[in-house]
């Protein structure tokens, strides 16, 4: 089975800090992968490098056999790699509905530039309404994003990433800022919405119960390196992972 | 902002156009002139509204205003175009083309850097005009159209040609921009102002959208400059001076960005204020204008237009 996403020797240095250190990862299509690691371990940096927000100091990123190293985020989005953010990146003065419409509008303007879209043959307005319902954002439809509770902003941020029909969805701490009893519901909602389409999902998570429940593979980060990679049970039992990642309670992250 | 799309504005703008045209024959000459100037300068402020909605403030719109004015003037003298309509089109096109070129650089900048770079370009153009004796240096030169839509300026109707043309250009400009702002592309303006990174992550090029908006704002400013040149009958480098650019920013902030009609209300108020203050307080009129600006910023931070909106909400 050929990889959908592959990195080779991916390295990013910020001065003396090496946030990504020689990362070589190969992800098979149609899998759900969990990224774990303490604060500052390099998880977000990995997503930034894959989506083109930061240029690697060394190494390559390959998507569906194509070298995408150094491409701008908008080009990578058009190819079908989408992401949500650790701190929700929404349009504060626009309503929830308008936030969704921005992305769907972009897709409808440039249909040919995108490999796939959530539009099908529908109008962006109709799809935006439908997504509001699907993600249970209906009651927030006309509220400016700045007025939404953190958990709702998080959900909106994720829904926005799905204007493009992604091949890979990268989620940066989707459940942080969401109350404990709502975390599973949120993951069910998000994964339920996309897994039918065989979308590959990589998500960063600090809650090991969530990771155990939803992933079939875990990458454990520590100090810019991947210290364990494999089946969830094996990785979570790994001595180094217990010592550096899960051994002590991990704070919620910035 | 609430449920449903806000009502389309063009029927009301169309009504305003008809009213403006209908009152022409009854207006004294000075009043028709004052309204024409307000329409022309309102067009420049309308372009600023688009930029401000995109999160940008330009302190150099005088550049495009001046280019529009000089292009119309040179079209009349050098190209011997006699009719006002092609002259306004020429002014708008020339300004748009210059913005297309300068936008390659300007679209990379934001905030104060964008504002200052726009100012710098307008000052360079001012410097060039002052040094160009073929264009009359600091004195500029006279401009006259022989007709508007083929109606000679000497005929009873043609006398108000530039006034009517100004009203028509404003109608087309404001209605088109209103429509644009409701489109998928136009919606990117507030999105870019709020969060450029996210717009890029949605697959769009922020720089291209900003570049487009620079050109659209310049086209409006160029049309405004051409109309002013035809109304005044004269162009000079003052049109591109930084105080002129500052006045456009003044009008845009005074008016607010709530509606495409706002800049014209603001521009008309400023022209009225100026002409009355000139007459009654010739030495302190800047003081009057400054004080009114202060009052607007303190009491109506979203501009004069918010008065209309508040009243409608209360109703
Ligand atoms: N733009 C930057 N400039 C300088 N240093 C950075 C930058 N971005 C990240 N770093 C550093 O790189 C390291 C990895 O950061 P990263 O954000 O990838 O961690 P993380 O695993 O996502 O942590 P968290 O769980 O807190 O989100 C940290 O030491 C961080 O301080
Ligand atoms: Mg992080």
């Amino acid at each position: 089975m050929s990889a959908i996403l592959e990195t080779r020797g991916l390295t990013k240095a910020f001065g003396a800090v090496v946030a990504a250190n020689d990362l070589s990862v190969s992800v098979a299509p149609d899998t759900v992968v969990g990224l774990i690691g303490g604060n500052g371990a390099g998880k977000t940096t990995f997503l930034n490098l894959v989506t083109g927000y930061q240029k690697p100091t060394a190494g390559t990123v390959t998507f569906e056999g194509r070298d995408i190293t150094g491409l701008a985020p908008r080009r990578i989005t058009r190819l079908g790699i989408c992401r949500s953010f650790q701190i929700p990146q929404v349009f504060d003065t626009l309503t929830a509905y308008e936030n969704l419409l921005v992305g769907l509008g972009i897709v409808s303007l440039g249909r040919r530039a995108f490999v796939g879209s959530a539009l099908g043959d529908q109008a962006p307005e109709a799809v935006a309404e439908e997504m509001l319902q699907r993600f249970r954002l209906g009651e927030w439809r006309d509220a400016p994003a700045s007025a939404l509770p953190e958990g709702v902003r998080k959900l909106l941020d994720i829904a926005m990433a799905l204007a493009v029909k992604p091949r890979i969805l990268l989620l940066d701490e989707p459940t942080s800022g969401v109350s404990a009893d709502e975390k599973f519901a949120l993951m069910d909602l998000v994964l339920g919405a996309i897994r039918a389409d065989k979308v590959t999902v990589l998500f960063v998570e600090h809650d090991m119960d969530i990771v155990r429940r939803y992933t079939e593979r875990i990458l454990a980060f520590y100090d810019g390196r991947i210290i364990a990679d494999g089946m969830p049970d094996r990785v979570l039992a790994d001595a180094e992972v217990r010592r550096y990642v899960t051994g002590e309670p991990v704070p919620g992250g910035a | 902002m609430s449920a449903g799309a806000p009502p389309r504005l063009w029927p009301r703008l169309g009504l305003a156009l008809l009213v403006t045209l209908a009152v022409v024959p009854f207006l004294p000459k000075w009043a028709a002139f004052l309204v024409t100037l307000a329409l022309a300068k309102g067009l420049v402020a309308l372009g600023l509204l688009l930029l401000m909605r995109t999160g940008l403030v330009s302190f150099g719109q005088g550049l495009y205003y001046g280019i529009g004015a000089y292009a119309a003037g040179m079209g009349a003298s050098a190209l011997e175009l006699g009719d006002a309509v092609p002259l306004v089109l020429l002014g708008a096109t020339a300004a748009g083309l210059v913005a297309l070129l300068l936008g390659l650089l300007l679209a990379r900048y934001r905030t104060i850097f964008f504002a200052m770079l726009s100012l710098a370009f307008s000052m360079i153009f001012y410097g060039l005009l002052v040094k160009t004796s073929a264009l009359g240096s600091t004195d500029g030169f006279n401009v006259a159209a022989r007709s508007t839509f083929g109606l000679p300026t000497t005929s009873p109707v043609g006398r108000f040609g530039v006034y009517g043309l100004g009203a028509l250009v404003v109608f087309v400009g404001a209605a088109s921009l209103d429509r644009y702002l409701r489109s998928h592309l136009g919606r990117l303006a507030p999105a870019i102002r709020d969060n450029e990174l996210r717009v890029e992550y949605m697959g769009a090029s922020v720089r291209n959208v900003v570049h487009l908006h620079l050109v659209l704002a310049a086209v409006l400013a160029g049309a405004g400059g051409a109309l002013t040149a035809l109304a005044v009958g004269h162009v000079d480098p003052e049109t591109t001076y930084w105080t002129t650019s500052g006045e456009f920013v003044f009008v845009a902030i005074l008016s607010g960005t709530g509606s495409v009609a706002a800049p014209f209300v603001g521009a008309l108020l400023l022209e009225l204020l100026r002409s009355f203050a000139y007459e009654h307080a010739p030495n302190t009129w800047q003081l009057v204008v400054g004080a009114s600006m202060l009052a607007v910023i303190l009491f109506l931070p979203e501009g004069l237009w918010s008065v209309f909106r508040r009243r409608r909400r209360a109703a």
Side-chain angles (χ1 to χ4, degrees), chain A residues 51 74 77-78 89 93 157, chain B residues 193-195 198 200-201 203:
Chain A
T51 57
R74 66 171 180 282
T77 298
R78 291 177 199 165
Q89 299 292 317
T93 64
D157 181 316
Chain B
R193 183 195 54 207
D194 281 358
N195 194 335
R198 188 63 197 237
E200 287 276 328
Y201 262 107

Side-chain angles (χ1 to χ4, degrees), chain A:
Chain A
M1 189 168 28
S2 70
I4 186 167
L5 180 73
E6 190 165 11
T7 70
R8 278 187 194 282
L10 205 57
T11 302
K12 178 71 184 178
F14 297 107
V17 179
V18 183
N21 195 345
D22 194 22
L23 303 176
S24 295
V25 178
S26 174
V27 179
D30 193 19
T31 49
V32 179
V33 181
L35 275 56
I36 63 172
N39 292 132
K43 307 176 297 293
T44 298
T45 301
F46 179 70
L47 300 192
N48 286 343
L49 291 171
V50 168
T51 57
Y53 178 57
Q54 287 163 342
K55 310 258 174 283
T57 314
T60 58
V61 182
T62 312
F63 171 62
E64 293 181 331
R66 174 180 172 178
D67 185 358
I68 59 164
T69 320
L71 288 188
R74 66 171 180 282
R75 302 212 180 277
I76 291 178
T77 298
R78 291 177 199 165
L79 293 173
I81 301 183
C82 298
R83 79 175 283 190
S84 73
F85 296 81
Q86 190 167 345
I87 298 164
Q89 299 292 317
V90 296
F91 305 116
D92 273 340
T93 64
L94 301 185
T95 65
Y97 170 73
E98 289 168 331
N99 265 274
L100 290 170
L101 207 48
V102 167
L104 293 163
I106 292 172
V107 173
S108 86
L109 283 169
R111 262 173 219 263
R112 272 171 306 143
F114 292 82
V115 292
S117 85
L119 293 176
D121 48 12
Q122 286 179 284
E125 289 79 4
V127 178
E129 299 286 5
E130 185 264 321
M131 287 179 93
L132 283 172
Q133 297 313 315
R134 180 149 42 101
F135 286 93
R136 305 204 188 122
L137 292 163
E139 65 168 304
W140 307 102
R141 184 188 186 281
D142 301 315
S146 59
L148 302 179
E150 189 61 15
V152 178
R153 282 167 67 87
K154 208 93 205 185
L155 194 54
L156 178 61
D157 181 316
I158 296 170
M160 284 164 74
L162 296 174
V164 175
K165 194 168 221 153
R167 315 291 270 273
I168 300 185
L169 181 63
L170 308 169
L171 304 170
D172 200 347
E173 304 197 15
T175 71
S176 76
V178 178
S179 68
D181 51 326
E182 286 173 347
K183 290 189 177 197
F184 284 91
L186 181 136
M187 290 306 291
D188 283 341
L189 195 58
V190 173
L191 293 180
I194 56 167
R195 288 295 289 149
D197 295 327
K198 298 192 185 306
V199 177
T200 304
V201 180
L202 274 69
F203 72 98
V204 177
E205 185 56 67
H206 284 296
D207 185 328
M208 292 310 138
D209 292 336
I210 301 275
V211 177
R212 204 175 274 115
R213 166 88 169 75
Y214 294 99
T215 66
E216 49 208 279
R217 177 180 171 192
I218 290 179
L219 301 175
F221 285 74
Y222 175 71
D223 196 21
R225 286 175 297 114
I226 292 175
I227 56 172
D229 172 2
M231 306 277 283
D233 287 340
R234 242 198 48 227
V235 170
L236 292 175
D238 183 274
E240 280 206 309
V241 171
R242 290 173 68 134
R243 183 155 154 225
Y244 294 121
V245 185
T246 57
E248 52 206 29
V250 182

Side-chain angles (χ1 to χ4, degrees), chain B residues 138-163:
Chain B
T138 46
D139 293 336
F141 59 94
N142 288 337
V143 183
R146 282 192 298 276
S147 62
T148 307
F149 284 115
L151 297 167
T153 37
T154 46
S155 69
V157 181
R159 234 163 25 99
F160 293 102
V162 174
Y163 174 96

Side-chain angles (χ1 to χ4, degrees), chain B residues 110-129:
Chain B
R110 299 291 180 271
T111 62
I112 192 70
F113 305 102
F114 173 82
M116 290 299 114
L117 199 58
S118 323
L119 178 66
F121 281 127
S122 73
M123 292 309 283
I124 290 170
F125 187 56
Y126 176 81
L128 289 174
L129 288 178

